[in-house]
Amino acid sequence: MNHVDVLICTAGRAMEAAYVRSLMRTVQELTAAGISWRFLNNYASLVHEAREMTASDRGSEINLDDKGPLADAVTYNKMFWIDSDIAWEPADFLRLYRAPQDVIAGLYMVKKGMPAAHGDNVAEAISKGTMVEVDAVGFGFVAVKSGVFEKIERPWFMPGYESRWKAAGKRLRVSIGEDVSWCRKARDAGFAIYLDGAVRVQHLKTLPVEWTN
């Protein structure tokens, strides 16, 4: 069986130019450091299907009996998920790749004042630049150690729903994304989710896109 050090996964069919520049600079550094890599990409109109197809490196014919990425055809150290509208420095990528945590993400904003992470410790990660355990992270810039996907039931990516109460006391069904659902599955399987406040990347389709502190 072949081995690849890191699988770089980006779902979708369009990529921002800054993303491509970040990717090219990163794979150049990986190659120079002797770290083998493989790029995975697939597209579907629904995000969760695109992620599932990307992880499997297949088209629409996905075998849910496959326990690991790429239909169990390779071994790997980490899967690194990066959205196509993220820009980063190679040092950010290498920091998460070399981190010992099973699941670890960098910081980015989905809109002004709203980080792509959930949990009581997120504010600490932002204010102090520390690494904290959180409930869930977005999949815009996250590294997952080998063995995590293999212990999560398939399909790996499915949007979920949770019940919340309105102020008036009426129950409301609110959809949660496929990334948050994945994090819940990972936690149920015994894995902790971490957010590294020292890794701050740009989300190119939202404002503000730069970190100021």
Side-chain angles (χ1 to χ4, degrees):
M1 183 179 292
N2 293 330
H3 177 81
V4 179
D5 291 327
V6 59
L7 303 173
I8 303 173
C9 306
T10 297
R13 63 181 176 184
M15 300 173 185
E16 293 281 346
Y19 162 90
V20 176
R21 287 193 293 269
S22 294
L23 179 63
M24 293 299 98
R25 293 172 58 209
T26 298
V27 297
Q28 287 172 354
E29 291 211 15
L30 293 176
T31 301
I35 299 172
S36 60
W37 56 274
R38 179 168 172 177
F39 180 72
L40 303 179
N41 167 263
N42 220 312
Y43 168 77
S45 58
L46 298 176
V47 175
H48 65 277
E49 292 182 357
R51 292 199 189 279
E52 198 79 29
M53 291 160 60
T54 296
S56 298
D57 197 31
R58 293 175 180 261
S60 58
E61 297 295 328
I62 296 174
N63 185 352
L64 295 181
D65 290 331
D66 294 339
K67 299 301 182 183
L70 283 90
D72 305 316
V74 301
T75 60
Y76 64 98
N77 297 334
K78 284 198 175 179
M79 288 187 79
F80 210 119
W81 288 86
I82 310 175
D83 282 350
S84 61
D85 58 356
I86 296 291
W88 69 96
E89 295 295 325
D92 298 327
F93 185 102
L94 288 168
R95 179 180 172 93
L96 297 193
Y97 171 72
R98 291 169 174 156
Q101 286 76 15
D102 291 315
V103 183
I104 184 167
L107 266 171
Y108 64 97
M109 293 291 182
V110 293
K111 63 181 181 179
K112 187 175 181 179
M114 181 180 291
H118 304 277
D120 295 335
N121 296 327
V122 174
E124 178 185 341
I126 295 174
S127 62
K128 299 181 180 179
T130 55
M131 184 183 300
V132 299
E133 185 176 348
V134 295
D135 296 333
V137 294
F139 257 56
F141 199 76
V142 58
V144 181
K145 189 181 292 185
S146 176
V148 178
F149 270 85
E150 289 78 358
K151 291 185 179 180
I152 297 176
E153 65 176 340
R154 299 200 67 179
W156 293 311
F157 296 103
M158 286 293 292
Y161 293 87
E162 61 183 356
S163 295
R164 295 178 180 172
W165 289 96
K166 289 183 176 181
K170 295 181 180 180
R171 191 173 294 276
L172 176 69
R173 299 288 287 182
V174 180
S175 175
I176 60 174
E178 83 292 335
D179 44 8
V180 175
S181 293
W182 184 93
C183 288
R184 289 185 173 183
K185 288 184 179 182
R187 292 178 64 199
D188 288 344
F191 299 102
I193 312 293
Y194 286 89
L195 179 67
D196 189 345
V199 174
R200 303 189 176 201
V201 300
Q202 292 179 309
H203 190 188
L204 300 167
K205 293 185 179 179
T206 60
L207 293 174
V209 294
E210 291 90 11
W211 294 94
T212 58
N213 53 28

